[in-house]
Amino acid sequence: MFAARLIEALGADAVKTAPEDLAVYAFDAYSQALLPSVVVLPSSTRDVAAAVKIANDCGEPIVARGAGTGLCGGAVPAKGGMVLSFARMNRILELDTRNRRARVQPGLVNLDLSRASQPSGLFYAPDPSSQKVCTIGGNCATNAGGPHCLSYGTTVNHVLGLELVDDAGEVFHTSIDDAGYDLTGALVGSEGTLAIICAADVRLMKLPEEVRVWVAAFRDVECASQTVSAIIAAGVVPTALEIMDEIIVKVVEASYQAGYPLDAGAVLLVEYAGFANDMNEYEAAIEKIASENGAISWRAARSQAERDALWAGRKGAAGATGRLAPNYYIQDVCVPRSKLPAALAAVGASARAHELTVGNVFHAGDGNLHPLLMYDKRDCKQVGAVIDAGNEILQACVDLGGTISGEHGIGYEKRDTLSLVFSTEDLAAMARVREVFDPKRVLNPEKIFPAGVSCGEVR
Amino acid sequence: MMIEQRPAKVGPAGAAELGAFLKDASERGDVLEIQGGNTLASMGQPVQAAHTVLSTQKLRRVLAYEFENLTVSVEAGLTLRALRALLAERNQFVPLDAPRAQHATVGGTLAAGWLGPRRHLLGRSRDYVIGSRVALADGTLVAAGGMVVKNVTGYDMSKLYIGSFGTLGVLVSANFKTLPLPAQARLFTARLPEHSWLRTLTHVGELEVPPTAALWVHGFSKSIAGDDGTDGRVMILLEGSAALIERGTRELRAALGRGGVPETAIHNEGARDLFERALDGYVAPTGQRSITYRIFGTPDNIESMVREVYGLAREHALAPEAIADILNGDIAFRLSAKDARAFAERIEAFDDALHASYARAQIIAGQSPVRPSLNLWGELPPAIEKMRALKVLFDPARILNPGRFIGGI
Ligand SMILES: Cc1cc2nc3c(=O)[nH]c(=O)nc-3n(C[C@H](O)[C@H](O)[C@H](O)COP(=O)(O)OP(=O)(O)OC[C@H]3O[C@@H](n4cnc5c(N)ncnc54)[C@H](O)[C@@H]3O)c2cc1C
């Protein structure tokens, strides 16, 4: 009945119901898998609105999906229902280079936008490591970050307006230039629980005049993170400050031959993009801080090719850990930057206590840690250890004044740990927003909110 | 005889006291007018039948300045100038850029979502807020975000409170990420005779080293130091390293020269102070015989916007003055007449005519008694119904600044 009505409205080509098709949409990059009852591939905002109306009539939940690279089960259809996959809505609708903005469909792959803007001397700044596959819609829904968010900010700082379909299938628009509440700001990062993004107006930036990339090697990850804290404390904000520890560097080099030193306990990747006039001064300042904090070597990438290789290695790091263990669990936490050494020490202690191998590759400049816990999912004991260590890391970072997700989101995975950070009252205020946009909880149910939080509790 | 009942004023000195006060007020249904430095009092409708003015001015503590993390947490009543001074001690800043910084509060500036001239390069105030604490209408204190610079833990509730004009909750404190203060600042001022200014300003927008701000100011003679108000003049701020400023200076001079600007004055000492004072013009009053509008466009149509509005002003026998934000494409216009009565007679027709061309024009300053009958916020945003629904859930008894914001929110 449900599928039949969707086929009638959108055509058979846009609706998938075969079990082998549904299986593909049962999971994202998080391990939990749950089957949808139907998958819809809309071609337009109108298709989305029509599909949402039909889902409503049939009492089916609606889960939007970009590329499925999310790491917290955000795109998993937790209560079944309809998955709306944006794979066919992947066009750039307008590239306004003069005013440095673009209007894009949600299924556009992140990197494709920067590629398309480059000939005009522009780029799209938010660059998740998954940018070759993840979509702008998914990025908006998760407020994605990336290595370059240190100086450019995260996705929300680059979204100017949205076209959306609401819980009832009605199209609405928001813009940061409209008078009234900043709905754009509130909708970015809402993980598909408030409305479905059907187009986004985003800001493009002028390509920097000059870019330099340096690699510093350290004895251990504590020295590297101490260096990052010192760079920030000195009021120097490069465009990117990324750390990889020994375990990660070894697999990255084995997979990519990126050019990182193999004899170090940790490496720090530094990028500064800006005006040629400032480059030497910056380099001197950062190199000095690195050497004061125990850098054992310092090297500048000499060419675009060398820079690209270093970045390709960094962005491919998580995937390269396949060489170490059949599975990895990537944690995502954020702490004040002066607390980086303490947070890393807590990560190390927790991994040791549970006899797990941990690799660290992270957006150090933002205080955003990504411990990768290696395991084999066929071994129940290891799975349990990973879950316990993951939770200990969350608690340790909260105790250090940090938070339980810096960029990957809460989704399905972390909803029950939200109360580590927020009180019942804090969550009830969020639930009021949910109540306004999705009173029947049809949009991505079972996400973000711990089971049982509703705004009814405070009324 | 009508006796106007002036609302009482209370100023809680801490978050808990504020919460307790709100709890009582909500139980009694007392309508509150939330007030910071009162510098943007002329934005929006006067709060109808306010029982009490709730001032945040005693909430002015610095809660945490983690300068080594480039973060700071301050209470809502701290003035922008005090925040600036605090951060300057560590060579840091937050680009809030609102007028009358010695009075304007952090909370008021955020609640108004004030848009300053450096935003084209540095972003808006909302882009610097990493956390906040808000007292809801029933007195509950709620936190949003935190003290980390990247955070996707739940909805980013701060975004809703910023720019909500105190209609969803009372901002108690805000956490910011700060920026390192550029080593140097240089302000350029130049006379810009009307006939040549357009060409010149277009060049400024295309420079390799972009100025952090560029304003063309016409009029506002008493509001901005040193301006005699006869010609337009341009104020351009460059910030950066010494080397960058030298380069920017060369580029800017060449551009201004090409545009036919004969002479440019350079201010190195106190450049930022001079610039900050220029911002005061946005809300500078002229008794009851003026109103200031703000209209938003794009940098490339700024010249036609000025021409059109000046034309309209003259048609309605009103004297126009302007602050044009060249790099963001928005313009503030102050319209005035020689006395309050003449002004009141002319402004309504002008208001209609202006909104026919610029539907989103807003009123940002002016004490004319006719102000409340004008179109204060411009056209309703397309998502107004969602906004109304938020107001209903956050302030069901309508005690927080009711009616002040767009659409009667
Ligand atoms: C190897 C790897 C590296 C990564 N690196 C980073 C990184 O550096 N920074 C970072 O932030 N993340 C990173 N991620 C996580 C992930 O890529 C981001 O969360 C990304 O934004 C998800 O985009 P997606 O298109 O894959 O969305 P999906 O995974 O399909 O969906 C993510 C969430 O968004 C919702 N959603 C998707 N589209 C829409 C829409 N149109 N309307 C409403 N809701 C929608 C979904 O329901 C879901 O809740 C990484 C992931 C991997 C696997």
Side-chain angles (χ1 to χ4, degrees):
Chain A
M1 173 60 194
F2 181 34
R5 283 192 58 190
L6 287 167
I7 291 171
E8 190 191 330
L10 306 179
D13 182 47
V15 182
K16 308 270 173 222
T17 53
E20 64 275 20
D21 288 332
L22 299 185
V24 181
Y25 296 90
F27 52 87
D28 57 8
Y30 176 65
S31 52
Q32 189 85 27
L34 292 158
L35 281 175
S37 53
V38 58
V39 173
V40 171
L41 294 149
S43 299
S44 65
T45 304
R46 211 183 319 141
D47 283 357
V48 176
V52 168
K53 284 197 171 123
I54 293 169
N56 262 312
D57 283 353
C58 300
E60 297 278 354
I62 301 143
V63 181
R65 181 186 176 95
T69 66
L71 289 160
C72 58
V76 172
K79 291 180 83 177
M82 172 173 76
V83 164
L84 273 173
S85 165
F86 283 96
R88 291 180 188 168
M89 288 175 66
N90 61 353
R91 281 181 304 133
I92 296 175
L93 299 173
E94 198 186 323
L95 194 61
D96 177 359
T97 56
R98 186 159 175 179
N99 290 303
R100 293 186 199 157
R101 53 194 292 160
R103 163 166 287 213
V104 306
Q105 290 186 314
L108 179 72
V109 168
N110 174 299
L111 191 59
D112 289 350
L113 180 54
S114 277
R115 287 211 176 111
S117 340
Q118 201 171 6
S120 317
L122 302 173
F123 73 112
Y124 177 64
D127 64 334
S129 304
S130 50
Q131 73 184 138
K132 282 186 198 159
V133 260
C134 69
T135 65
I136 301 286
N139 294 166
C140 292
T142 55
N143 186 17
H148 290 83
C149 293
L150 174 55
S151 70
Y152 300 139
T154 58
T155 300
V156 71
N157 308 123
H158 300 270
V159 177
L160 304 171
L162 296 169
E163 175 170 288
L164 307 113
V165 164
D166 72 8
D167 62 325
E170 300 299 331
V171 180
F172 72 104
H173 294 89
T174 70
S175 158
I176 61 167
D177 291 325
D178 283 343
Y181 301 146
D182 180 7
L183 299 184
T184 311
L187 288 161
V188 171
S190 65
E191 302 191 33
T193 63
L194 298 179
I196 316 256
I197 298 164
C198 295
D201 291 314
V202 298
R203 184 160 77 102
L204 302 173
M205 294 181 69
K206 206 169 153 185
L207 282 166
E209 181 173 276
E210 191 174 331
V211 179
R212 284 193 201 170
V213 170
W214 305 280
V215 177
F218 294 87
R219 196 179 59 237
D220 53 34
V221 74
E222 281 77 17
C223 285
S225 58
Q226 183 53 47
T227 303
V228 168
S229 300
I231 290 173
I232 297 294
V236 180
V237 182
T239 9
L241 273 174
E242 301 278 312
I243 289 178
M244 292 187 276
D245 69 10
E246 186 174 10
I247 290 181
I248 299 290
V249 170
K250 293 226 157 82
V251 293
V252 162
E253 282 306 305
S255 302
Y256 292 93
Q257 295 83 46
Y260 290 102
L262 283 165
D263 53 353
V267 300
L268 172 63
L269 177 67
V270 186
E271 180 185 292
Y272 181 71
F275 293 100
N277 312 59
D278 295 339
M279 283 294 159
N280 293 339
E281 204 181 312
Y282 251 92
E283 174 162 7
I286 299 170
E287 184 178 1
K288 181 160 174 283
I289 297 171
S291 82
E292 283 165 2
N293 285 277
I296 48 185
S297 70
W298 173 269
R299 184 172 77 81
R302 281 171 311 244
S303 63
Q304 177 74 36
E306 275 189 37
R307 287 200 297 274
D308 290 349
L310 287 167
W311 273 118
R314 164 59 190 91
K315 290 191 174 173
T321 59
R323 292 171 172 267
L324 283 176
N327 306 96
Y328 68 86
Y329 168 75
I330 179 166
Q331 185 54 286
D332 165 43
V333 284
C334 197
V335 295
R337 294 168 279 200
S338 58
K339 299 287 165 53
L340 272 173
L344 281 159
V347 168
S350 189
R352 273 191 303 279
H354 294 280
E355 297 176 3
L356 292 166
T357 302
V358 61
N360 284 292
V361 44
F362 59 104
H363 312 305
D366 287 315
N368 187 190
L369 268 63
H370 288 332
L372 291 157
L373 299 165
M374 316 293 166
Y375 71 107
D376 181 342
K377 76 175 177 196
R378 293 160 301 188
D379 178 347
C380 297
K381 205 171 139 247
Q382 283 191 39
V383 174
V386 166
I387 293 172
D388 290 346
N391 285 331
E392 282 168 26
I393 293 168
L394 293 184
Q395 184 66 59
C397 290
V398 171
D399 293 344
L400 289 168
T403 194
I404 61 169
S405 181
E407 59 176 19
H408 294 166
I410 300 301
Y412 194 60
E413 178 203 0
K414 287 187 175 168
R415 58 197 199 115
D416 287 323
T417 41
L418 208 56
S419 52
L420 293 179
V421 183
F422 291 120
S423 70
T424 313
E425 290 79 19
D426 301 339
L427 294 177
M430 292 183 198
R432 285 182 182 168
V433 180
R434 183 79 187 273
E435 189 68 21
V436 164
F437 284 90
D438 182 26
K440 295 197 211 120
R441 306 294 189 267
V442 294
L443 298 176
N444 215 0
E446 312 282 306
K447 305 294 165 66
I448 300 185
F449 291 94
V453 169
S454 75
C455 81
E457 285 181 2
V458 288
R459 260 195 269 154
Chain B
M1 182 173 114
M2 288 249 299
I3 298 177
E4 203 192 334
Q5 202 77 46
R6 303 271 315 268
K9 189 161 171 172
V10 299
E17 193 184 328
L18 173 64
F21 174 79
L22 276 169
K23 185 167 183 289
D24 287 348
S26 69
E27 279 161 12
R28 288 193 306 265
D30 290 349
V31 168
L32 306 176
E33 181 182 335
I34 325 294
Q35 204 174 83
N38 215 20
T39 55
L40 302 176
S42 297
M43 290 187 78
Q45 291 290 348
V47 175
Q48 292 300 317
H51 180 276
T52 308
V53 170
L54 174 58
S55 165
T56 60
Q57 276 177 321
K58 284 192 192 148
L59 297 165
R60 47 169 183 252
R61 284 179 306 159
V62 176
L63 301 177
Y65 183 16
E66 300 176 5
F67 53 85
E68 74 284 13
N69 286 323
L70 301 181
T71 59
V72 68
S73 174
V74 298
E75 285 188 326
L78 193 76
T79 64
L80 298 187
R81 185 157 293 170
L83 177 64
R84 194 183 111 172
L86 172 80
L87 300 178
E89 281 174 31
R90 298 284 175 180
N91 288 318
Q92 296 177 12
F93 78 115
V94 179
L96 295 177
D97 294 351
R100 300 189 63 208
Q102 72 276 32
H103 299 291
T105 61
V106 166
T109 304
L110 292 180
W114 183 262
L115 297 173
R118 289 189 286 185
R119 71 182 185 280
H120 72 104
L121 207 61
L122 302 178
R124 303 175 172 214
S125 61
R126 56 95 113 156
D127 296 319
Y128 288 85
V129 174
I130 55 173
S132 61
R133 198 156 183 237
V134 165
L136 298 177
D138 64 1
T140 317
L141 293 168
V142 292
M147 277 295 264
V148 290
V149 297
K150 254 167 101 182
N151 196 340
V152 291
T153 307
Y155 299 154
D156 187 357
M157 297 296 291
S158 304
K159 292 284 188 302
L160 277 181
Y161 305 129
I162 297 169
S164 69
F165 272 88
T167 59
L168 295 178
V170 182
L171 265 172
V172 178
S173 59
N175 310 342
F176 295 94
K177 63 174 175 184
T178 67
L179 291 175
L181 195 64
Q184 293 191 9
R186 181 173 280 178
L187 186 73
F188 296 78
T189 54
R191 271 282 154 78
L192 227 50
E194 252 187 276
H195 66 269
S196 70
W197 69 269
L198 158 72
R199 258 178 304 141
T200 310
L201 300 187
T202 315
H203 290 311
V204 169
E206 289 161 6
L207 296 177
E208 282 288 318
V209 178
T212 44
L215 301 178
W216 179 74
V217 183
H218 180 251
F220 290 97
S221 52
K222 290 204 188 82
S223 324
I224 297 170
D227 194 335
D228 62 12
T230 46
D231 290 335
R233 63 181 202 154
V234 68
M235 304 180 85
I236 298 176
L237 186 67
L238 275 184
E239 292 174 284
S241 64
L244 194 65
I245 289 204
E246 284 317 315
R247 177 174 158 198
T249 301
R250 285 193 300 277
E251 289 180 6
L252 186 59
R253 280 229 152 118
L256 293 174
R258 275 197 305 276
V261 181
E263 238 175 280
T264 315
I266 286 182
H267 312 262
N268 291 318
E269 287 303 306
R272 290 191 182 101
D273 296 314
L274 279 171
F275 188 75
E276 187 182 285
R277 238 178 291 151
L279 301 182
D280 292 352
Y282 280 96
V283 294
T286 316
Q288 297 193 338
R289 54 182 191 85
S290 78
I291 272 189
T292 307
Y293 288 88
R294 200 166 180 193
I295 64 174
F296 298 89
T298 52
D300 48 6
N301 69 10
I302 205 149
E303 191 261 344
S304 58
M305 286 158 72
V306 173
R307 274 192 210 292
E308 184 173 0
V309 178
Y310 271 43
L312 277 181
R314 284 174 190 132
E315 269 171 42
H316 292 84
L318 292 164
E321 299 164 277
I323 303 175
D325 182 334
I326 294 145
L327 302 169
N328 291 294
D330 78 75
I331 312 182
F333 290 101
R334 182 166 68 178
L335 290 313
S336 51
K338 65 181 188 319
D339 59 58
R341 236 186 71 205
F343 181 76
E345 281 165 11
R346 295 165 196 171
I347 191 66
E348 289 194 18
F350 174 86
D351 189 68
D352 289 340
L354 180 68
H355 283 98
S357 296
Y358 297 96
R360 293 193 296 131
Q362 295 180 356
I363 289 178
I364 58 169
Q367 275 126 36
S368 167
V370 294
R371 190 180 66 88
S373 65
L374 303 177
N375 184 347
L376 301 183
W377 292 110
E379 72 178 355
L380 294 177
I384 185 70
E385 289 314 322
K386 306 273 184 211
M387 297 178 191
R388 291 205 164 108
L390 280 164
K391 171 71 175 173
V392 169
L393 272 196
F394 276 81
D395 183 19
R398 291 184 65 78
I399 64 163
L400 302 175
N401 278 351
R404 179 160 182 192
F405 202 17
I406 192 161
I409 289 174

